[in-house]
Amino acid sequence: MRNENERPDHGPLGDDPLGDDEEPGGDPACWLHRVCPECGLFIEDRSAGTCPRCESALTDL
């Protein structure tokens, strides 16, 4: 008898069909340090001293 949580192409739910346990690469999980605290604009230029939208002083970019 087949388990109701089992898919024929993947096995039981929760199984990794590719067997790949590695974390995927890419962008950092949090870009919050790159967001203007006053207006919420994402600051692409790390050398910016002020926000181009609201001209608020920026730190820790």
Side-chain angles (χ1 to χ4, degrees):
M1 179 175 197
R2 196 172 138 238
N3 183 341
E4 65 185 45
N5 293 329
E6 192 173 314
R7 290 179 39 189
D9 57 341
H10 293 290
L13 292 178
D15 281 358
D16 185 355
L18 301 177
D20 187 10
D21 293 334
E22 293 184 26
E23 293 284 327
D27 291 335
C30 182
W31 289 97
L32 190 57
H33 67 283
R34 302 277 303 273
V35 175
C36 174
E38 295 298 318
C39 71
L41 179 70
F42 181 79
I43 310 295
E44 293 186 30
D45 181 7
R46 288 183 166 200
S47 65
T50 60
C51 173
R53 180 189 290 162
C54 70
E55 299 182 1
S56 175
L58 302 173
T59 58
D60 300 328
L61 291 181

